[in-house]
Amino acid sequence: MDTRSIYTNKRNIVLLATLCCFLWGSAYPCIKIGYKLFNIPTNDIASKFVFAGIRFFLAGLIVLAIAVVMKKGIFSFSKKDILRISFLGLGQTSLQYIFFYIGMTFTTGITGSIITGSGTFFSIILAHFIYKNDKINKSKILGCIVGFTGVVLANLNNGSLLKSSFSFKGEGLIMLAALSLSIFSIYGKKITQKLDAFIVTGYQLAIGGFILVILGYGLGGQLVGFNFKSIILLIYMALLSSVAFSIWTILLKYNKVAVISMFNFLVPVFGAILSAVFLGENIFDIKLLASLMLVCSGIFAVYRCQD
């Protein structure tokens, strides 16, 4: 069975896309736990960049090492290709996770995972202007309204807009991270039409991670507190990134963006559940449950109209 048939089989798409979303959902509690294990204070943004950078740099090396084992040509790129992949790494890894890691410092894992669902709606809007056969219609508009209602609800304090707990440095940056992912996922799909998606993933993760490490250390950051637990956590986070990004990039290469992106609703679901399990956050809060249901319902409504 060739690669294309593996990643276009309907059953495989469901299983692989769900796996990616589970792994990304697990990142929310892992980041919070990582801050504690590596003794990173709330206001130490530079050290958070180092933490993120090492994670993604290792993830990229893992992907490239697997590519070598698979006897793929990891050095057969032109200068133009290298520039395009570097730009992808700067946007999809560095920029996105600068927003994400800072934002997660100032919000809960559950709220952060719910807001990440807004990335699906950004993809809908961008697709309207990029793809001729993917225009916005009534179903998509309704889905976006329902979904963003859930995002707003997640950030209300005591049910009042005037007492909203929304802050730019928290929920706002998480939303910018979701927007960055939407933009650069579409850019990545364009690149991988001519280049090996697996190798592109490895390089963009490594390059993006390296930029974060340099930025973090340059701003005075550090990563301390290495022990068995913290090292295992870091390795897991590197592995989840390498596996999820590799599979997702290949799925996007062989399938329509809309078909694959519909599974994004699982990220806030898994993120909320796993944050409740590992961080002790209250998933049974009525407001959070309602907002989670609205976000997922909005995404379902948006993609129900897809062919």
Side-chain angles (χ1 to χ4, degrees):
M1 183 179 291
D2 65 285
T3 302
R4 185 182 185 88
S5 61
I6 293 175
Y7 289 96
T8 55
N9 178 276
K10 291 183 178 181
R11 180 178 297 180
N12 290 346
I13 289 174
V14 172
L15 293 175
L16 292 173
T18 300
L19 172 62
C20 291
C21 294
F22 174 84
L23 292 172
W24 279 325
S26 71
Y28 294 92
C30 283
I31 289 172
K32 291 282 190 179
I33 294 172
Y35 290 161
K36 293 181 179 180
L37 292 179
F38 286 106
N39 303 312
I40 302 177
T42 299
N43 60 347
D44 190 355
I45 303 301
S47 293
K48 288 183 170 71
F49 290 163
V50 176
F51 178 34
I54 292 176
R55 167 196 171 186
F56 292 114
F57 183 70
L58 288 176
L61 293 183
I62 291 172
V63 174
L64 293 175
I66 294 174
V68 172
V69 173
M70 297 171 64
K71 297 182 179 180
K72 292 178 177 286
I74 65 171
F75 300 113
S76 56
F77 292 113
S78 66
K79 292 182 179 179
K80 183 178 180 180
D81 292 334
I82 294 174
L83 288 174
R84 295 169 70 188
I85 294 173
S86 297
F87 182 65
L88 178 64
L90 176 63
Q92 186 162 296
T93 297
S94 301
L95 185 62
Q96 180 199 169
Y97 283 97
I98 284 174
F99 294 147
F100 186 79
Y101 268 70
I102 297 177
M104 283 302 298
T105 303
F106 301 100
T107 189
T108 66
I110 290 177
T111 300
S113 64
I114 292 172
I115 292 176
T116 298
S118 64
T120 299
F121 309 118
F122 290 136
S123 296
I124 294 298
I125 296 172
L126 290 172
H128 172 78
F129 295 101
I130 296 174
Y131 303 110
K132 294 181 179 180
N133 62 343
D134 203 1
K135 299 298 182 181
I136 292 177
N137 53 36
K138 292 182 180 179
S139 295
K140 292 181 179 180
I141 292 175
L142 175 61
C144 287
I145 292 174
V146 172
F148 275 114
T149 298
V151 173
V152 172
L153 180 61
N155 291 282
L156 295 183
N157 187 12
N158 296 325
S160 172
L161 277 171
L162 297 178
K163 298 180 180 179
S164 173
S165 61
F166 183 93
S167 69
F168 177 77
K169 65 182 180 180
E171 293 79 9
L173 289 180
I174 295 294
M175 193 168 289
L176 283 179
L179 175 59
S180 298
L181 178 60
S182 298
I183 293 173
F184 286 96
S185 290
I186 292 176
Y187 180 68
K189 177 178 175 63
K190 179 180 179 181
I191 293 177
T192 56
Q193 296 307 302
K194 295 182 179 180
L195 302 176
D196 188 297
F198 195 75
I199 298 176
V200 169
T201 299
Y203 274 115
Q204 76 91 359
L205 285 171
I207 292 171
F210 182 74
I211 293 173
L212 285 171
V213 171
I214 296 301
L215 177 63
Y217 278 121
L219 293 174
Q222 60 180 337
L223 198 64
V224 298
F226 283 94
N227 53 45
F228 180 76
K229 288 184 178 180
S230 62
I231 291 174
I232 291 298
L233 177 71
L234 187 59
I235 291 174
Y236 171 74
M237 295 183 73
L239 286 173
L240 83 83
S241 297
S242 59
V243 172
F245 273 106
S246 295
I247 294 175
W248 197 262
T249 301
I250 298 174
L251 286 172
L252 283 174
K253 177 176 182 176
Y254 293 119
N255 300 277
K256 292 181 179 180
V257 173
V259 173
I260 302 304
S261 296
M262 67 179 290
F263 291 94
N264 275 325
F265 82 90
L266 290 172
V267 176
V269 173
F270 286 133
I273 293 173
L274 293 173
S275 291
V277 172
F278 292 103
L279 300 179
E281 295 180 2
N282 183 18
I283 193 175
F284 296 107
D285 181 89
I286 299 299
K287 181 186 67 175
L288 287 176
L289 284 175
S291 63
L292 188 60
M293 291 177 63
L294 283 170
V295 169
C296 294
S297 297
I299 297 173
F300 174 77
V302 165
Y303 288 110
R304 184 178 57 182
C305 63
Q306 299 296 325
D307 294 333

Coordinates of all heavy atoms in Angstrom, one line a residue, residues 105-169:
T105 N 0.5 30.9 30.4 CA 0.9 31.3 31.7 C -0.2 32.0 32.4 O -0.3 32.0 33.7 CB 2.1 32.3 31.6 OG1 3.2 31.6 30.9 CG2 2.6 32.7 33.0
F106 N -1.1 32.7 31.7 CA -2.1 33.6 32.2 C -3.5 33.1 32.0 O -4.4 33.9 32.1 CB -1.9 35.0 31.7 CG -0.6 35.6 32.0 CD1 0.4 35.6 31.0 CD2 -0.2 36.1 33.2 CE1 1.7 36.1 31.2 CE2 1.0 36.6 33.4 CZ 2.0 36.7 32.5
T107 N -3.7 31.8 31.8 CA -5.0 31.2 31.7 C -5.0 29.8 32.1 O -3.9 29.2 32.3 CB -5.6 31.4 30.2 OG1 -6.9 31.0 30.2 CG2 -4.8 30.4 29.3
T108 N -6.1 29.2 32.3 CA -6.2 27.8 32.7 C -6.0 26.9 31.5 O -6.2 27.3 30.3 CB -7.5 27.4 33.4 OG1 -8.6 27.6 32.4 CG2 -7.8 28.4 34.5
G109 N -5.7 25.6 31.7 CA -5.5 24.7 30.6 C -6.8 24.4 29.9 O -6.9 24.3 28.7
I110 N -8.0 24.4 30.6 CA -9.3 24.2 30.0 C -9.7 25.4 29.1 O -10.0 25.2 28.0 CB -10.3 24.0 31.1 CG1 -10.1 22.6 31.8 CG2 -11.7 24.0 30.5 CD1 -11.1 22.3 32.9
T111 N -9.5 26.6 29.7 CA -9.9 27.8 28.9 C -9.0 27.9 27.7 O -9.5 28.2 26.6 CB -9.8 29.0 29.7 OG1 -10.7 28.9 30.9 CG2 -10.1 30.3 28.9
G112 N -7.7 27.6 27.8 CA -6.8 27.7 26.7 C -7.1 26.7 25.6 O -7.1 27.0 24.4
S113 N -7.5 25.5 26.0 CA -7.9 24.5 25.0 C -9.1 24.9 24.3 O -9.3 24.6 23.1 CB -8.0 23.1 25.7 OG -9.1 23.1 26.6
I114 N -10.1 25.5 24.9 CA -11.3 25.9 24.3 C -11.1 27.0 23.3 O -11.6 27.0 22.2 CB -12.4 26.4 25.3 CG1 -12.8 25.2 26.2 CG2 -13.6 27.0 24.7 CD1 -13.7 25.5 27.4
I115 N -10.3 28.0 23.7 CA -10.0 29.1 22.8 C -9.2 28.6 21.6 O -9.4 29.2 20.5 CB -9.2 30.2 23.5 CG1 -10.1 30.8 24.6 CG2 -8.7 31.3 22.6 CD1 -9.4 31.9 25.5
T116 N -8.4 27.6 21.7 CA -7.7 27.1 20.6 C -8.6 26.6 19.5 O -8.3 26.6 18.3 CB -6.8 25.9 21.0 OG1 -5.8 26.4 22.0 CG2 -6.0 25.4 19.8
G117 N -9.8 26.3 19.8 CA -10.8 25.9 18.9 C -11.1 27.0 17.9 O -11.6 26.7 16.8
S118 N -10.8 28.2 18.2 CA -11.1 29.4 17.3 C -10.2 29.2 16.1 O -10.5 29.8 15.0 CB -10.8 30.7 18.0 OG -9.4 30.8 18.4
G119 N -9.1 28.5 16.1 CA -8.3 28.3 15.0 C -9.0 27.7 13.8 O -8.7 28.0 12.6
T120 N -10.0 26.9 14.1 CA -10.8 26.3 13.0 C -11.6 27.4 12.3 O -11.7 27.3 11.0 CB -11.8 25.3 13.6 OG1 -11.1 24.2 14.2 CG2 -12.7 24.7 12.5
F121 N -12.1 28.3 13.0 CA -12.9 29.4 12.4 C -12.0 30.3 11.6 O -12.4 30.9 10.5 CB -13.7 30.2 13.4 CG -14.4 29.3 14.3 CD1 -14.2 29.2 15.7 CD2 -15.4 28.4 13.8 CE1 -14.9 28.3 16.5 CE2 -16.1 27.6 14.6 CZ -15.9 27.5 15.9
F122 N -10.8 30.5 12.0 CA -9.8 31.3 11.3 C -9.5 30.6 9.9 O -9.4 31.3 8.9 CB -8.5 31.5 12.0 CG -8.6 32.4 13.2 CD1 -8.0 32.0 14.4 CD2 -9.3 33.6 13.2 CE1 -8.1 32.8 15.6 CE2 -9.4 34.4 14.3 CZ -8.8 34.0 15.5
S123 N -9.4 29.3 10.0 CA -9.2 28.5 8.7 C -10.3 28.7 7.8 O -10.1 28.8 6.5 CB -9.0 27.0 9.1 OG -7.9 26.8 9.9
I124 N -11.6 28.8 8.3 CA -12.7 28.9 7.4 C -12.7 30.3 6.7 O -12.9 30.4 5.5 CB -14.0 28.9 8.3 CG1 -14.2 27.5 8.9 CG2 -15.2 29.3 7.4 CD1 -14.4 26.4 7.9
I125 N -12.3 31.3 7.4 CA -12.3 32.7 6.8 C -11.1 32.7 5.8 O -11.3 33.3 4.7 CB -12.1 33.7 8.0 CG1 -13.3 33.7 8.9 CG2 -11.8 35.1 7.4 CD1 -13.1 34.6 10.1
L126 N -10.0 32.2 6.2 CA -8.8 32.2 5.2 C -9.1 31.4 4.0 O -8.8 31.9 2.9 CB -7.6 31.7 5.9 CG -7.0 32.6 7.1 CD1 -5.9 31.8 7.8 CD2 -6.4 33.9 6.5
A127 N -9.7 30.3 4.1 CA -10.1 29.4 3.0 C -11.0 30.2 2.0 O -10.9 29.9 0.8 CB -10.7 28.1 3.5
H128 N -11.9 31.0 2.5 CA -12.8 31.8 1.7 C -12.0 32.6 0.7 O -12.4 32.8 -0.5 CB -13.7 32.7 2.6 CG -14.5 33.6 1.8 ND1 -15.7 33.2 1.1 CD2 -14.4 35.0 1.5 CE1 -16.2 34.3 0.5 NE2 -15.5 35.3 0.7
F129 N -10.9 33.2 1.1 CA -10.1 34.1 0.2 C -9.1 33.3 -0.6 O -8.6 33.9 -1.6 CB -9.4 35.2 1.0 CG -10.4 36.1 1.7 CD1 -10.7 35.9 3.1 CD2 -11.0 37.1 1.0 CE1 -11.6 36.8 3.7 CE2 -11.9 38.0 1.6 CZ -12.2 37.8 3.0
I130 N -8.7 32.1 -0.2 CA -7.6 31.4 -0.9 C -8.1 30.3 -1.8 O -7.6 30.2 -2.9 CB -6.7 30.7 0.2 CG1 -6.0 31.8 1.0 CG2 -5.7 29.8 -0.5 CD1 -5.2 31.2 2.2
Y131 N -9.2 29.6 -1.5 CA -9.7 28.5 -2.3 C -11.0 28.9 -3.0 O -12.0 29.3 -2.3 CB -9.9 27.3 -1.5 CG -8.6 26.8 -0.8 CD1 -8.4 26.9 0.6 CD2 -7.5 26.3 -1.6 CE1 -7.3 26.5 1.2 CE2 -6.3 25.9 -1.0 CZ -6.2 26.0 0.4 OH -5.1 25.6 1.0
K132 N -11.1 28.8 -4.3 CA -12.4 29.1 -5.0 C -13.5 28.2 -4.6 O -14.7 28.7 -4.7 CB -12.1 29.1 -6.5 CG -11.1 30.1 -7.0 CD -10.9 30.0 -8.5 CE -9.9 31.1 -9.0 NZ -9.7 31.0 -10.4
N133 N -13.3 27.0 -4.3 CA -14.3 26.1 -4.0 C -14.6 25.9 -2.5 O -15.2 24.9 -2.0 CB -14.0 24.7 -4.6 CG -12.7 24.1 -3.9 OD1 -12.0 24.8 -3.3 ND2 -12.5 22.8 -4.1
D134 N -14.2 26.9 -1.7 CA -14.4 26.8 -0.2 C -14.9 28.1 0.3 O -14.3 28.7 1.3 CB -13.1 26.4 0.4 CG -13.3 25.7 1.8 OD1 -14.5 25.6 2.2 OD2 -12.4 25.4 2.5
K135 N -15.9 28.7 -0.3 CA -16.4 30.0 0.1 C -17.3 29.9 1.4 O -17.9 28.9 1.7 CB -17.2 30.6 -1.0 CG -16.4 30.9 -2.3 CD -15.3 31.8 -2.0 CE -14.5 32.1 -3.3 NZ -13.4 33.0 -3.1
I136 N -17.4 31.0 2.1 CA -18.2 31.1 3.3 C -19.7 31.0 2.9 O -20.1 31.7 1.9 CB -17.9 32.4 4.1 CG1 -16.5 32.3 4.7 CG2 -19.0 32.6 5.2 CD1 -16.1 33.6 5.4
N137 N -20.5 30.3 3.6 CA -21.9 30.2 3.3 C -22.7 30.3 4.7 O -22.1 30.5 5.7 CB -22.3 28.9 2.6 CG -21.8 27.7 3.4 OD1 -21.7 27.6 4.6 ND2 -21.3 26.7 2.6
K138 N -24.0 30.2 4.6 CA -24.8 30.4 5.8 C -24.4 29.4 6.9 O -24.4 29.7 8.1 CB -26.3 30.2 5.5 CG -26.8 31.4 4.6 CD -28.3 31.2 4.3 CE -28.8 32.3 3.4 NZ -30.3 32.2 3.1
S139 N -24.2 28.1 6.6 CA -23.9 27.1 7.6 C -22.5 27.5 8.3 O -22.4 27.3 9.5 CB -23.8 25.7 6.9 OG -25.0 25.3 6.4
K140 N -21.6 27.9 7.5 CA -20.3 28.3 8.1 C -20.4 29.5 9.0 O -19.8 29.6 10.0 CB -19.3 28.6 6.9 CG -18.9 27.3 6.2 CD -17.9 27.6 5.1 CE -17.5 26.4 4.3 NZ -16.5 26.6 3.3
I141 N -21.2 30.5 8.5 CA -21.4 31.7 9.3 C -22.1 31.3 10.7 O -21.7 31.8 11.8 CB -22.3 32.7 8.6 CG1 -21.5 33.3 7.4 CG2 -22.7 33.9 9.5 CD1 -22.3 34.2 6.5
L142 N -23.1 30.5 10.6 CA -23.8 30.0 11.8 C -22.8 29.3 12.7 O -22.8 29.5 14.0 CB -25.0 29.1 11.5 CG -25.7 28.4 12.6 CD1 -26.3 29.5 13.5 CD2 -26.8 27.5 12.1
G143 N -22.0 28.4 12.2 CA -21.1 27.6 13.0 C -20.1 28.6 13.6 O -19.7 28.4 14.8
C144 N -19.6 29.6 12.9 CA -18.6 30.5 13.5 C -19.2 31.3 14.6 O -18.6 31.5 15.7 CB -18.1 31.5 12.4 SG -17.0 30.7 11.2
I145 N -20.5 31.7 14.5 CA -21.2 32.5 15.5 C -21.3 31.6 16.8 O -21.0 32.1 17.9 CB -22.6 32.9 15.0 CG1 -22.4 34.0 13.9 CG2 -23.4 33.5 16.2 CD1 -23.7 34.4 13.3
V146 N -21.8 30.4 16.6 CA -22.0 29.5 17.7 C -20.6 29.2 18.4 O -20.5 29.2 19.6 CB -22.6 28.1 17.2 CG1 -22.6 27.1 18.4 CG2 -24.0 28.4 16.7
G147 N -19.6 28.9 17.6 CA -18.3 28.6 18.2 C -17.7 29.8 18.9 O -17.2 29.6 20.1
F148 N -17.7 30.9 18.4 CA -17.1 32.1 19.0 C -18.0 32.5 20.3 O -17.4 33.1 21.2 CB -17.0 33.3 18.1 CG -15.7 33.2 17.3 CD1 -15.7 33.1 15.9 CD2 -14.5 33.4 17.9 CE1 -14.6 33.0 15.2 CE2 -13.3 33.3 17.2 CZ -13.3 33.1 15.8
T149 N -19.2 32.2 20.3 CA -20.1 32.4 21.5 C -19.5 31.5 22.6 O -19.4 32.0 23.7 CB -21.5 32.0 21.2 OG1 -22.1 32.8 20.2 CG2 -22.4 32.2 22.5
G150 N -19.1 30.3 22.3 CA -18.5 29.4 23.3 C -17.2 30.0 23.8 O -16.9 29.9 25.0
V151 N -16.4 30.6 22.9 CA -15.1 31.2 23.3 C -15.3 32.4 24.3 O -14.7 32.5 25.3 CB -14.3 31.7 22.1 CG1 -13.1 32.5 22.5 CG2 -13.9 30.5 21.2
V152 N -16.3 33.2 23.9 CA -16.7 34.3 24.8 C -17.2 33.8 26.1 O -16.8 34.3 27.2 CB -17.8 35.2 24.1 CG1 -18.3 36.3 25.1 CG2 -17.2 35.9 22.9
L153 N -18.1 32.8 26.1 CA -18.6 32.3 27.3 C -17.6 31.8 28.3 O -17.6 31.9 29.5 CB -19.6 31.2 27.0 CG -20.3 30.5 28.2 CD1 -21.1 31.5 29.0 CD2 -21.2 29.4 27.7
A154 N -16.5 31.2 27.7 CA -15.4 30.6 28.5 C -14.7 31.7 29.3 O -14.1 31.4 30.3 CB -14.5 29.9 27.6
N155 N -14.8 32.9 28.8 CA -14.1 34.0 29.5 C -14.9 35.0 30.3 O -14.5 36.0 30.7 CB -13.3 34.8 28.4 CG -12.2 33.9 27.8 OD1 -11.1 33.7 28.4 ND2 -12.4 33.3 26.7
L156 N -16.2 34.6 30.4 CA -17.1 35.5 31.3 C -16.8 35.2 32.7 O -16.6 34.1 33.1 CB -18.5 35.3 30.9 CG -19.0 35.6 29.5 CD1 -20.5 35.4 29.4 CD2 -18.7 37.1 29.2
N157 N -16.9 36.3 33.5 CA -16.7 36.1 35.0 C -18.0 36.4 35.6 O -18.6 37.5 35.6 CB -15.6 37.1 35.5 CG -15.3 36.9 36.9 OD1 -15.7 35.9 37.5 ND2 -14.6 37.8 37.5
N158 N -18.6 35.4 36.3 CA -19.9 35.5 36.9 C -21.0 35.9 35.9 O -22.0 36.6 36.2 CB -19.9 36.6 38.0 CG -19.0 36.2 39.2 OD1 -18.9 35.0 39.5 ND2 -18.3 37.2 39.7
G159 N -20.8 35.5 34.7 CA -21.9 35.6 33.6 C -22.0 37.0 33.1 O -22.9 37.4 32.4
S160 N -21.0 37.9 33.4 CA -21.1 39.3 32.9 C -20.0 39.7 32.0 O -18.8 39.4 32.2 CB -21.0 40.2 34.2 OG -20.9 41.6 33.7
L161 N -20.4 40.3 30.8 CA -19.4 40.7 29.9 C -18.5 41.8 30.5 O -17.4 42.0 30.2 CB -20.1 41.3 28.6 CG -20.5 40.2 27.6 CD1 -21.3 40.9 26.5 CD2 -19.2 39.6 26.9
L162 N -19.2 42.6 31.4 CA -18.4 43.7 32.0 C -17.4 43.2 33.0 O -16.5 43.9 33.3 CB -19.4 44.7 32.7 CG -20.4 45.4 31.8 CD1 -21.4 46.3 32.6 CD2 -19.7 46.2 30.7
K163 N -17.5 42.0 33.4 CA -16.6 41.4 34.3 C -15.8 40.3 33.7 O -15.4 39.3 34.3 CB -17.3 40.9 35.6 CG -18.0 42.0 36.4 CD -18.7 41.4 37.6 CE -19.4 42.5 38.4 NZ -20.1 41.9 39.6
S164 N -15.6 40.4 32.4 CA -15.0 39.3 31.7 C -13.5 39.1 32.2 O -12.8 40.1 32.5 CB -14.9 39.7 30.2 OG -14.1 38.8 29.5
S165 N -13.1 37.9 32.2 CA -11.8 37.6 32.7 C -10.8 37.5 31.5 O -9.6 37.2 31.6 CB -11.8 36.2 33.4 OG -12.2 35.2 32.5
F166 N -11.3 37.9 30.3 CA -10.4 37.9 29.1 C -9.3 38.9 29.3 O -9.5 40.0 29.7 CB -11.2 38.3 27.9 CG -10.4 38.2 26.6 CD1 -10.4 37.0 25.9 CD2 -9.7 39.3 26.2 CE1 -9.7 37.0 24.7 CE2 -9.0 39.3 25.0 CZ -9.0 38.1 24.2
S167 N -8.1 38.5 29.0 CA -6.9 39.4 29.0 C -6.1 39.1 27.7 O -6.0 38.0 27.3 CB -6.1 39.2 30.2 OG -5.4 37.9 30.2
F168 N -5.5 40.1 27.2 CA -4.7 40.0 25.9 C -3.5 39.1 26.2 O -3.1 38.2 25.4 CB -4.2 41.3 25.4 CG -3.4 41.2 24.2 CD1 -3.9 40.9 22.9 CD2 -2.0 41.3 24.3 CE1 -3.1 40.8 21.8 CE2 -1.2 41.2 23.2 CZ -1.7 40.9 21.9
K169 N -2.8 39.2 27.4 CA -1.6 38.4 27.6 C -1.9 37.0 27.9 O -1.0 36.2 27.9 CB -0.8 39.1 28.8 CG -1.6 39.0 30.1 CD -0.7 39.7 31.2 CE -1.4 39.7 32.5 NZ -0.6 40.3 33.6

